[in-house]
Amino acid sequence: MNFYYNLLITYILIGVLFASLFYFFIKKDILKNYFFCLLFGIIGSFLGVFFDTMINFDPLKYIAFFRDIFTIGIFWPSVFSFTVLFLYSKAFDNSY
């Protein structure tokens, strides 16, 4: 059962990491509320988990350093978390 808690915590931390980076460094002037940025970062991370279960291609598994350290796929959750946050910021961007 600890394995599933570790998975849950890992994917939540990926969402929190990308939401924090996105909010504080990239699009802070557009995104007014950190809570929604955090929510969409975590949602994007879990969408990446579902995509990772459908497609078994993880580019990080081909690098020996990452293969030895990470036993779960973190590439697709990271990509989807960033993509969802990017789309969220573009939805609320008023300066075309």
Side-chain angles (χ1 to χ4, degrees), residues 19-95:
S20 298
L21 289 174
F22 209 84
Y23 181 78
F24 290 116
F25 295 113
I26 297 175
K27 299 281 186 180
K28 186 176 182 179
D29 54 340
I30 296 171
L31 304 173
K32 303 291 186 208
N33 197 347
Y34 179 71
F35 175 73
F36 289 114
C37 190
L38 185 66
L39 180 68
F40 281 102
I42 293 172
I43 288 172
S45 178
F46 281 104
L47 284 176
V49 171
F50 291 126
F51 187 76
D52 189 29
T53 58
M54 290 188 292
I55 294 179
N56 291 328
F57 176 69
D58 191 3
L60 295 179
K61 290 182 182 176
Y62 295 111
I63 301 171
F65 175 74
F66 290 118
R67 190 179 333 134
D68 294 337
I69 293 177
F70 298 117
T71 58
I72 58 174
I74 62 165
F75 179 74
W76 290 116
S78 301
V79 168
F80 270 77
S81 182
F82 182 81
T83 305
V84 168
L85 285 168
F86 182 75
L87 292 175
Y88 171 66
S89 71
K90 287 298 179 185
F92 290 104
D93 188 13
N94 293 329
S95 59

